[in-house]
Amino acid sequence: MSLSTMKYGCKVIMNLEAAAKKVMQIVLKWGTPGKDPKEDFITYVKRLDPSTSKTNYVLEDKKRHPKLDKTQKDKVENYNSSEKFDISLLLIVIKLCCINMALLNDAAWFSDGDELENLLYQIKKARNNAMHESLEMTETEFEEKTKKLREDLIATLTKAKERFGRSDAELKEEIDKNEVVMNTITNEPLDLKDFLRDYHSDLQEHTISRLADQLKQHSTYQKSITPISFLTTNKVKLPVNKIYMATKIMQGRPEGKEKDVDHRDLIKLVQGQSNQPQVLVVEGLAGSGKTTLADHMTTEWSNTSSDSIRGLNEYKLLLKVQCRDPHLSCYVDLVGFLFQPSTTEYKELLSKLVMESSLLVIIDGIDEVNKSSRELIRDILHQMQGNPKCTVMFTTRPEALQEGLQLIPNTYYRVEVELVGIPTGQRKDFLHRYLDELHKTSPGTTPTPPTTDDINQCIKQLDVETKEHFRLPLNLSIVAILMYSWPDKMNRNTTQTELYYLIHELTLEKLEKRLIDNDLTKDFGRRKRLDKVENWLSTLYCEMFIALTHDQLTLQEESVNKLRSKCDTLDLPPDEMMAAFMETRTVKTFRGCDLDCYSVPHKGFQERYGALYIIQGIKQLKKPDDTGNVTNIVVSTPGVGQILHSKMQNLIKKFKKPKETRGCSARQLEELQQQPKETGNVISIIRRTPGAAQIQLSKMQNLLQMLVGMIPHDWDSIMVKDVLNLLQEAGVNRRNQWLDVIEDTKCSEKVVKAIADHFPLPGASVSTGGNYGPIEIIDGRIATYEKLLLHIRQTQVRLNIHGDPASLNCLLASLARHVCKGFRLYQTFYHPTKDIHPDVDQLLSKVQWSPDLNEYSGPLTDYVLSRLQRVHSLRDIELSISSNHQATLLMELITSTSFKHLKLLSVAVTPEVLPAAITTNLPGNYISVMLYLLDVTDERVSWACEMVANLINPSQRGYDIRFPRSTLDEAGWIRMIQDLGGRGVKNMRAMWVSDTSISSDQADRIRQICSNTFGAYLTRCLATRLDSSAQDTTPVHRTRLQCTGHDFSAQDTTSVHRTRLQCTGHDFSAQETTSVHRRRLQCTGDDFSAEETTSVQRRRLQCRGHDFSAEDTTSVQRTRLQCRGHDFSAEDTTSVHRTRFQCTGHDFSAQDTTSVHRTRLQCTGHDFSAQDTTSVHRTRLQCTGHDFSAQDTTSVHRTRLQCTGHDFSAQDTTSVQQTLILLEG
């Protein structure tokens, strides 16, 4: 169809956009009497009297109002005229704002008839049909459509005149105007260029609507996946939306400073954040679910009724690119491939119309990019640079991240996130869901499918919920398939490498059954069959390795021919062999050609084959009759060139059997193996081979990691170190990466010792910026750290345990040399019991507490109290109180500790504690307080209220009360609020209640009472957020603890949370950017009254150089601490003394008080006499570079710990010896 044959279809659109739209505007005008021409429609309906208004906006619950997208909402709220409204928006505004219309869901809108509501709906339907149908039509078809439209428009105006009480003259005037418009469009010749200019947006909408329908039916927009297809001969199809489970997504680096991202808000991280096109980079390890996420987003976009990913439906088109596909190399090719029928119809218009639309482009697998797909990506990014409505989403492995980032022009707004995997607590659900779908889609494929009890037992044996490699969805999928097909082979010690091995064994088992039934191989003996299969596999491994070096995940025709030829040589059936280890895919090119390709279902399988190729080659070199060229594994592999660092060549040399061992007896050979081995150089480039590909070592990262997991027991420690050095050069440098490697080798002693040299310790720099903090030990890594901590030098650790603290007992010996910077024993905080206290005390007493401990979460016991009283650097304390004795300990802690640096104090109290045991309020207004009242029932409301009254000072500001596991209903909560109000409780920020106890509507009613009583907000949240933090990641959990008094959605970014924490008393809109928030926080130089809130006082801390009176509040005194260079009189209060702490370079008399001594702590470079008090000794701790006498006290020894580069005598005490440990070099 050419543009000249589109004129009648174009005229239909013109009539709808001119005449029909004008009629709907008249209906809206007549139906909104009294509207000021200068006001928008929302302002108009909001000022109507609710008691007399007859508009649906007032009469209907707002939750039932039609949803508006961002563009529509902007028009309704900011335009006083309907000129900018399209027909769809006009219908919505008529429904909401016109008087005397049928209710929103009334049948009158949708039932055939001559009511005004249905006539309006038919106009919108006609417009939608015109936009989705072909523009090509005959003159007769055009005349019929025009006649029908004219009749409908006259009927609509007539019904509107009756409904809204307009005169006959007004009706005739509007009908005559409409006739003129339609006659003009119908009779005048159409200039297509003018049409494209004037109706470009309509043509685009018409085209895009049709293209979207085509995409949703396209073969690449699969709504199901085939798991490990070569194992499922009947082509099992699992629905993506049935097996997809939200994965843990993090944003930000370095480790420990990330924030959690809800997968439903992934698109919202970039959508609408800039007037530039946006790029969302999703990074994740092999098997972390990147491709499944891409498939899930594609499926959800195709399902227009779904809103599981917010903002996804705002994209008119979604283009999907698989980087492994070698058949597309430019944007025009991609459009032609995805829209083959429309390419002919719209010709040169198509690419331009697509490019200008609201567009999401998903580019899956940057780590699988080849020459063609790399050019395609570059062209897409170049073409889309001018479209701010375009979002591009990359998925990539970490090792290919930099390569992907280099492809992105600077004109794009970019956000990076990391896909971590399935969180603890959800893996069991994932496996059950996956197995259910396997059973539904492939019934009868296994003789006895596992029962629920079988599955739960297997999950328990494998320790799925805590072992870290089971966070990866691919590994969980393999577990599900093995459970379904081979449950007896699963055991507690299954590592990631062993999972792949079991899949390989299962594949061989299935293949053998088919070979027994095959005419070509049925007469072979079992040993002969297996030998022939192993021989053929050697060729497969080699070809897969070669394909990897060429960035190919589909085998080239040459490789396929080699494999088939090998089958002929070995008398094996080619089709059976190829189908056993690979999947076949039929790929359509943009020219419509069908290509059959062989590939593996996941790149991880190909990398495993490559690792097996290297292992197999090494074994061959160890044979006595191998005189061997050491480069015949990798180096001289046909088609492989500069692939790996020549450390691999040296690796091979070490396995080549020396001449002196040939002919030796077993005993002589054993003696030779025990002799020291030569280390040798392992750095050089593997020689090039003609026609070879050049590849970065980083692209072999996963292959090398698999190689480590396959390390034979006879490899010596030097060989292990060489492989790990290769792995580090390939980009493995983060803690979690090294921990994964250790676990994949079952904590092999050789591997652990070698990795200890590579493992980043606190203070080490992170490649993405910043430094590592203390080593964080979590539940799933306890066994790994038990081995690793024995081999790394003394350092700081932090315990972050959600499960039973008893699991740490196995770690105590390894922890003995290290210092604990923080303890978080979440189970003992959220579920405190008396019988656990002795065990916790015994555990904590065997661990070194850091003098700079900054966080503790767990029970308050006698031992814990004694330790907390010695620490003055605490910033975050969570204490559980489950007895009257513990309440007494809490009172002692409050009265004996200054809490100088404390930012957050959380106290969890059980009903076993009597309110009378609380004799002191929790500390004051500069500490954020969280009170957890556990297990509150109807009978315990009075207990809870009395406990709050005793713990919270009436003048206390900014505290939250949370009620985990409460069973109160709506009446119970109201009684609680009224009782608290009667006891004088006030100034609360928020009450947190579980969503299991009250509904959303009930929460709205209680929220209003709570606000009226305390001025506080009631937050109804998931029970898991109150009952346990097991699912919360550490940074998010901390943010939630500090975001008190607000009802933040889970999607709020950390920067917004932090801003709200510091912007107390202000009303900032959620849309303000981080930079604006920060500016407000740093608005220095203002003159604020003493009554201003804490956030303002904090501003004063940054108002340097001001002169405040002596009456200024504490916040002002703190300001003085930063007013350096001032001369304060000796009478100045403590705050002035503190100021002197920072007034360096002054000469204070010996009579200065302690605060002055502390000042001397920062007055470095002074010569203090030997008689100086302890505080002066502490000063010496910071006076580095001095020569202290041997008689210096312990504090001086500690100083020496920081005086690096000195030579201490052998007589130095233990603290000095410890210093020497830290003085490297």
Side-chain angles (χ1 to χ4, degrees):
M1 181 178 72
S2 66
L3 289 176
S4 61
T5 63
M6 297 164 56
K7 63 180 181 180
Y8 292 118
C10 294
K11 285 191 174 187
V12 169
I13 292 177
M14 293 170 69
N15 272 326
L16 285 165
E17 289 300 317
K21 180 177 174 181
K22 184 62 178 177
V23 166
M24 295 188 76
Q25 288 173 338
I26 293 300
V27 172
L28 179 58
K29 179 181 177 181
W30 287 353
T32 54
K35 177 185 174 297
D36 189 327
K38 296 181 180 179
E39 67 181 346
D40 61 79
F41 287 90
I42 298 300
T43 302
Y44 161 70
V45 290
K46 281 185 176 180
R47 68 173 173 81
L48 298 178
D49 185 351
S51 62
T52 59
S53 174
K54 298 179 181 180
T55 65
N56 284 329
Y57 186 90
V58 175
L59 297 175
E60 291 267 23
D61 189 330
K62 288 184 173 55
K63 293 180 180 178
R64 297 188 178 91
H65 288 184
K67 291 184 178 180
L68 302 177
D69 62 33
K70 185 178 179 182
T71 302
Q72 290 175 324
K73 189 175 181 181
D74 178 65
K75 288 179 180 179
V76 172
E77 292 179 348
N78 296 301
Y79 288 89
N80 54 26
S81 166
S82 60
E83 291 297 324
K84 298 285 186 180
F85 297 1
D86 60 17
I87 288 177
S88 296
L89 184 55
L90 278 166
L91 182 61
I92 293 174
V93 178
I94 288 171
K95 281 184 171 185
L96 289 174
C97 301
C98 286
I99 60 172
N100 300 326
M101 301 300 292
L103 295 176
L104 298 174
N105 294 321
D106 194 286
W109 293 100
F110 314 107
S111 302
D112 292 337
D114 59 355
E115 293 295 328
L116 176 60
E117 286 81 2
N118 183 253
L119 290 169
L120 291 166
Y121 176 74
Q122 292 301 325
I123 293 174
K124 185 209 172 208
K125 187 176 178 181
R127 191 250 188 194
N128 287 348
N129 290 339
M131 289 301 177
H132 287 82
E133 295 170 354
S134 173
L135 292 177
E136 186 176 27
M137 66 178 65
T138 64
E139 184 176 3
T140 301
E141 291 172 329
F142 168 67
E143 288 174 351
E144 290 175 355
K145 285 180 178 289
T146 303
K147 179 181 178 182
K148 175 71 166 58
L149 179 61
R150 181 180 280 110
E151 291 171 352
D152 287 346
L153 295 182
I154 292 173
T156 302
L157 286 170
T158 302
K159 287 292 181 181
K161 173 252 180 189
E162 296 171 359
R163 180 75 59 89
F164 304 123
R166 313 303 291 197
S167 66
D168 291 339
E170 288 178 294
L171 173 63
K172 184 178 184 307
E173 180 183 355
E174 295 302 336
I175 290 176
D176 291 344
K177 288 180 180 177
N178 211 53
E179 283 293 308
V180 172
V181 172
M182 293 192 69
N183 288 336
T184 302
I185 293 172
T186 301
N187 298 327
E188 289 189 357
L190 175 68
D191 188 322
L192 285 176
K193 290 183 179 179
D194 290 344
F195 173 80
L196 293 177
R197 183 193 67 235
D198 298 337
Y199 292 89
H200 177 79
S201 60
D202 299 297
L203 178 61
Q204 183 184 53
E205 184 175 351
H206 170 274
T207 307
I208 297 306
S209 296
R210 297 187 64 196
L211 295 180
D213 293 339
Q214 288 181 31
L215 280 179
K216 291 170 185 178
Q217 305 303 319
H218 200 278
S219 59
T220 60
Y221 286 56
Q222 54 186 336
K223 297 182 180 180
S224 61
I225 60 174
T226 303
I228 314 182
S229 54
F230 51 76
L231 285 178
T232 51
T233 53
N234 59 342
K235 299 298 180 186
V236 173
K237 298 287 186 181
L238 302 183
V240 174
N241 62 339
K242 295 290 186 182
I243 63 169
Y244 178 79
M245 178 168 282
T247 51
K248 178 179 173 183
I249 303 174
M250 307 297 290
Q251 182 184 3
R253 295 274 177 81
E255 293 180 20
K257 296 184 179 179
E258 310 96 335
K259 67 178 180 182
D260 207 17
V261 176
D262 190 321
H263 84 285
R264 295 170 298 180
D265 286 306
L266 198 54
I267 292 296
K268 287 296 185 181
L269 291 176
V270 292
Q271 192 179 61
Q273 300 297 320
S274 171
N275 56 4
Q276 301 170 298
Q278 310 94 43
V279 170
L280 175 64
V281 181
V282 180
E283 170 196 350
L285 296 176
S288 58
K290 301 182 295 296
T291 297
T292 305
L293 174 64
D295 290 340
H296 175 64
M297 294 182 72
T298 306
T299 301
E300 292 303 293
W301 178 81
S302 301
N303 181 10
T304 52
S305 62
S306 174
D307 192 29
S308 65
I309 298 180
R310 299 179 182 96
L312 189 60
N313 289 336
E314 292 186 24
Y315 297 105
K316 303 298 184 184
L317 294 176
L318 185 152
L319 309 185
K320 186 178 178 183
V321 176
Q322 291 280 3
C323 290
R324 64 164 58 188
D325 190 343
H327 307 300
L328 302 172
S329 58
C330 67
Y331 166 69
V332 173
D333 287 353
L334 176 66
V335 172
F337 168 64
L338 294 174
F339 308 110
Q340 287 176 14
S342 298
T343 306
T344 304
E345 183 176 349
Y346 293 103
K347 293 185 179 178
E348 69 278 1
L349 273 178
L350 190 63
S351 297
K352 186 174 187 297
L353 292 173
V354 170
M355 189 190 310
E356 294 174 350
S357 68
S358 178
L359 186 66
L360 174 63
V361 183
I362 296 179
I363 300 176
D364 184 34
I366 291 294
D367 51 287
E368 301 173 358
V369 73
N370 52 56
K371 184 178 180 181
S372 295
S373 58
R374 186 179 288 107
E375 292 305 313
L376 170 62
I377 294 167
R378 282 200 179 102
D379 194 30
I380 289 173
L381 293 172
H382 173 72
Q383 298 286 352
M384 301 300 169
Q385 284 189 88
N387 182 6
K389 296 180 292 183
C390 174
T391 299
V392 180
M393 187 181 95
F394 284 101
T395 71
T396 180
R397 290 185 183 179
E399 55 266 32
L401 176 61
Q402 292 305 315
E403 179 181 4
L405 296 180
Q406 289 171 5
L407 295 172
I408 304 171
N410 294 331
T411 52
Y412 280 77
Y413 173 80
R414 189 180 83 203
V415 171
E416 299 169 37
V417 298
E418 180 183 3
L419 208 59
V420 180
I422 306 295
T424 298
Q426 298 180 28
R427 298 170 193 173
K428 180 179 177 180
D429 293 340
F430 177 92
L431 287 172
H432 277 287
R433 185 185 302 182
Y434 207 100
L435 284 161
D436 285 345
E437 291 304 319
L438 274 176
H439 183 64
K440 290 177 185 176
T441 56
S442 57
T445 56
T446 182
T448 55
T451 65
T452 300
D453 291 339
D454 294 336
I455 296 169
N456 290 337
Q457 180 63 25
C458 191
I459 290 171
K460 185 177 180 180
Q461 288 179 348
L462 292 175
D463 204 7
V464 166
E465 290 292 3
T466 58
K467 285 191 174 179
E468 280 298 297
H469 65 276
F470 287 125
R471 74 186 185 277
L472 301 178
L474 178 62
N475 290 343
L476 288 176
S477 302
I478 293 175
V479 169
I481 291 170
L482 291 172
M483 279 185 185
Y484 194 74
S485 306
W486 230 14
D488 56 316
K489 296 294 183 181
M490 307 298 289
N491 62 72
R492 185 172 179 81
N493 296 317
T494 303
T495 65
Q496 179 170 279
T497 297
E498 288 173 334
L499 287 176
Y500 280 92
Y501 173 78
L502 288 172
I503 285 290
H504 186 69
E505 290 295 299
L506 179 58
T507 305
L508 289 175
E509 184 180 277
K510 289 179 177 288
L511 174 62
E512 186 177 8
K513 291 178 181 178
R514 294 199 295 271
L515 292 180
I516 290 173
D517 297 332
N518 190 281
D519 292 338
L520 196 61
T521 55
K522 64 182 179 181
D523 296 329
F524 292 166
R526 186 172 187 273
R527 184 68 265 165
K528 185 177 181 179
R529 268 196 309 272
L530 292 177
D531 287 344
K532 286 178 177 288
V533 170
E534 286 298 324
N535 194 334
W536 182 84
L537 282 175
S538 298
T539 304
L540 175 67
Y541 298 158
C542 179
E543 294 305 316
M544 285 293 183
F545 185 71
I546 293 172
L548 268 178
T549 68
H550 287 270
D551 294 325
Q552 295 166 352
L553 271 79
T554 56
L555 289 182
Q556 299 300 295
E557 185 177 359
E558 181 182 356
S559 294
V560 173
N561 291 337
K562 283 183 182 179
L563 291 169
R564 289 187 173 277
S565 176
K566 189 71 172 178
C567 286
D568 294 338
T569 303
L570 296 170
D571 295 325
L572 293 172
D575 291 338
E576 290 285 4
M577 297 301 295
M578 302 287 279
F581 298 94
M582 291 175 284
E583 63 179 9
T584 54
R585 294 190 305 127
T586 300
V587 178
K588 279 188 178 293
T589 68
F590 73 99
R591 293 186 177 88
C593 302
D594 290 348
L595 296 176
D596 291 330
C597 302
Y598 282 98
S599 66
V600 287
H602 191 276
K603 188 179 179 182
F605 288 93
Q606 185 175 7
E607 289 163 327
R608 183 177 185 276
Y609 293 152
L612 284 169
Y613 168 70
I614 295 172
I615 291 287
Q616 197 173 66
I618 291 173
K619 289 179 180 178
Q620 289 294 323
L621 283 178
K622 294 178 67 177
K623 291 184 178 180
D625 58 348
D626 192 325
T627 57
N629 179 353
V630 295
T631 61
N632 67 357
I633 306 175
V634 183
V635 180
S636 59
T637 301
V640 179
Q642 192 175 355
I643 304 161
L644 298 176
H645 228 281
S646 72
K647 286 186 176 182
M648 188 61 70
Q649 180 176 350
N650 193 64
L651 195 85
I652 296 164
K653 286 181 180 180
K654 295 178 185 297
F655 271 92
K656 182 181 176 183
K657 193 167 184 177
K659 290 182 180 179
E660 61 266 27
T661 65
R662 296 174 187 170
C664 294
S665 65
R667 181 176 179 180
Q668 290 171 324
L669 182 60
E670 184 178 355
E671 290 174 354
L672 283 171
Q673 289 175 336
Q674 290 175 352
Q675 294 176 1
K677 296 177 175 57
E678 180 182 350
T679 57
N681 290 324
V682 289
I683 306 291
S684 64
I685 304 293
I686 290 181
R687 73 181 71 172
R688 297 187 179 186
T689 302
Q694 185 172 352
I695 193 170
Q696 300 169 349
L697 185 62
S698 62
K699 293 192 175 183
M700 291 292 175
Q701 184 182 118
N702 202 49
L703 182 150
L704 291 169
Q705 187 166 338
M706 290 185 171
L707 182 62
V708 176
M710 299 175 189
I711 286 178
H713 294 297
D714 59 350
W715 283 31
D716 60 38
S717 58
I718 297 176
M719 286 298 307
V720 171
K721 286 183 178 179
D722 286 339
V723 179
L724 293 176
N725 287 339
L726 272 176
L727 199 54
Q728 186 179 45
E729 290 184 32
V732 173
N733 51 39
R734 289 187 283 174
R735 285 176 177 170
N736 281 337
Q737 290 176 307
W738 288 118
L739 294 172
D740 288 341
V741 173
I742 292 174
E743 289 164 8
D744 208 28
T745 63
K746 293 186 176 180
C747 299
S748 161
E749 189 72 14
K750 293 177 183 177
V751 173
V752 173
K753 284 183 178 180
I755 285 180
D757 296 332
H758 299 284
F759 196 76
L761 297 180
S765 60
V766 184
S767 58
T768 51
N771 299 92
Y772 283 99
I775 293 173
E776 186 169 7
I777 300 175
I778 61 174
D779 303 70
R781 300 290 198 187
I782 290 176
T784 310
Y785 275 117
E786 179 186 358
K787 303 293 185 182
L788 180 62
L789 290 176
L790 292 173
H791 300 288
I792 61 177
R793 62 185 176 87
Q794 185 185 36
T795 189
Q796 294 179 335
V797 300
R798 178 180 284 115
L799 302 179
N800 193 4
I801 306 301
H802 291 91
D804 188 352
S807 61
L808 289 169
N809 287 324
C810 64
L811 194 63
L812 291 177
S814 304
L815 278 174
R817 319 172 39 242
H818 305 287
V819 178
C820 285
K821 186 83 171 179
F823 298 90
R824 286 196 176 275
L825 310 178
Y826 288 108
Q827 188 184 82
T828 63
F829 177 77
Y830 289 97
H831 301 271
T833 56
K834 297 177 183 178
D835 55 350
I836 195 68
H837 298 164
D839 296 333
V840 172
D841 272 358
Q842 185 178 11
L843 172 72
L844 296 179
S845 64
K846 294 179 180 179
V847 179
Q848 288 192 56
W849 290 54
S850 169
D852 298 324
L853 186 83
N854 52 37
E855 58 184 6
Y856 174 81
S857 177
L860 179 59
T861 65
D862 291 275
Y863 179 76
V864 171
L865 174 64
S866 67
R867 297 309 306 236
L868 294 181
Q869 287 175 325
R870 304 179 206 173
V871 177
H872 301 289
S873 54
L874 281 167
R875 296 196 308 268
D876 191 344
I877 308 179
E878 292 181 325
L879 302 172
S880 59
I881 309 298
S882 57
S883 69
N884 291 331
H885 174 65
Q886 285 182 288
T888 305
L889 298 179
L890 177 63
M891 299 301 99
E892 183 178 347
L893 179 66
I894 292 172
T895 56
S896 64
T897 309
S898 64
F899 297 117
K900 183 167 57 175
H901 300 288
L902 193 63
K903 302 296 182 185
L904 174 67
L905 172 62
S906 299
V907 178
V909 186
T910 67
E912 288 77 17
V913 181
L914 296 177
I918 305 299
T919 58
T920 305
N921 298 141
L922 295 177
N925 293 326
Y926 295 104
I927 299 173
S928 182
V929 172
M930 291 259 191
L931 180 58
Y932 291 76
L933 297 178
L934 310 179
D935 304 303
V936 175
T937 62
D938 284 329
E939 297 78 19
R940 295 170 179 165
V941 169
S942 297
W943 167 83
C945 294
E946 191 173 353
M947 189 62 71
V948 173
N950 289 356
L951 279 170
I952 302 299
N953 190 312
S955 63
Q956 169 83 28
R957 291 184 178 274
Y959 62 92
D960 281 22
I961 306 178
R962 300 188 177 199
F963 296 89
R965 303 186 295 277
S966 171
T967 59
L968 294 182
D969 57 12
E970 181 180 7
W973 287 117
I974 294 174
R975 184 158 58 92
M976 168 86 74
I977 294 170
Q978 292 172 343
D979 195 342
L980 287 172
R983 295 174 185 268
V985 174
K986 55 183 179 179
N987 300 326
M988 188 193 304
R989 282 185 303 207
M991 282 180 62
W992 296 65
V993 301
S994 168
D995 60 351
T996 59
S997 63
I998 55 173
S999 67
S1000 178
D1001 290 339
Q1002 289 173 331
D1004 289 339
R1005 292 192 289 270
I1006 301 170
R1007 186 174 291 118
Q1008 186 61 47
I1009 298 171
C1010 185
S1011 177
N1012 294 339
T1013 305
F1014 311 119
Y1017 194 90
L1018 182 133
T1019 301
R1020 176 179 175 267
C1021 61
L1022 295 174
T1024 52
R1025 287 185 63 183
L1026 292 175
D1027 186 26
S1028 172
S1029 61
Q1031 285 73 39
D1032 284 343
T1033 56
T1034 302
V1036 176
H1037 179 58
R1038 290 184 188 135
T1039 302
R1040 286 176 172 171
L1041 293 180
Q1042 294 175 335
C1043 295
T1044 58
H1046 294 282
D1047 187 18
F1048 297 140
S1049 62
Q1051 297 73 33
D1052 279 345
T1053 58
T1054 303
S1055 58
V1056 176
H1057 283 317
R1058 290 189 185 128
T1059 303
R1060 288 183 169 177
L1061 298 182
Q1062 294 177 333
C1063 298
T1064 55
H1066 292 275
D1067 187 18
F1068 294 138
S1069 65
Q1071 292 72 27
E1072 285 180 327
T1073 58
T1074 305
S1075 58
V1076 176
H1077 285 315
R1078 288 189 185 130
R1079 287 180 191 175
R1080 289 195 171 186
L1081 297 178
Q1082 297 175 341
C1083 295
T1084 61
D1086 294 317
D1087 187 17
F1088 303 115
S1089 65
E1091 290 73 30
E1092 289 180 311
T1093 58
T1094 305
S1095 60
V1096 178
Q1097 295 173 341
R1098 290 193 185 116
R1099 291 185 190 180
R1100 288 191 166 185
L1101 300 182
Q1102 297 177 339
C1103 298
R1104 297 173 173 78
H1106 288 71
D1107 187 17
F1108 300 118
S1109 65
E1111 290 72 31
D1112 282 340
T1113 59
T1114 305
S1115 61
V1116 178
Q1117 294 172 341
R1118 290 191 186 124
T1119 305
R1120 289 186 168 181
L1121 301 184
Q1122 297 179 338
C1123 297
R1124 297 173 174 80
H1126 288 71
D1127 187 16
F1128 299 121
S1129 65
E1131 291 73 30
D1132 279 342
T1133 60
T1134 305
S1135 61
V1136 178
H1137 288 309
R1138 290 192 189 115
T1139 305
R1140 289 186 170 180
F1141 298 168
Q1142 297 180 337
C1143 297
T1144 59
H1146 289 70
D1147 186 17
F1148 299 121
S1149 65
Q1151 290 72 31
D1152 279 343
T1153 59
T1154 304
S1155 60
V1156 177
H1157 288 310
R1158 290 194 189 113
T1159 304
R1160 289 186 170 179
L1161 301 184
Q1162 297 181 340
C1163 298
T1164 58
H1166 290 71
D1167 186 17
F1168 299 120
S1169 65
Q1171 291 73 31
D1172 279 343
T1173 60
T1174 305
S1175 60
V1176 177
H1177 288 310
R1178 290 195 191 110
T1179 304
R1180 289 187 171 179
L1181 301 183
Q1182 298 179 340
C1183 299
T1184 58
H1186 290 71
D1187 185 16
F1188 299 120
S1189 65
Q1191 292 73 29
D1192 280 341
T1193 60
T1194 305
S1195 59
V1196 177
H1197 288 312
R1198 290 194 191 112
T1199 305
R1200 289 186 171 181
L1201 298 183
Q1202 298 179 340
C1203 299
T1204 57
H1206 289 71
D1207 185 17
F1208 298 120
S1209 65
Q1211 292 73 29
D1212 281 341
T1213 60
T1214 304
S1215 59
V1216 177
Q1217 291 172 345
Q1218 287 168 351
T1219 303
L1220 290 173
I1221 294 173
L1222 300 173
L1223 300 178
E1224 296 180 351

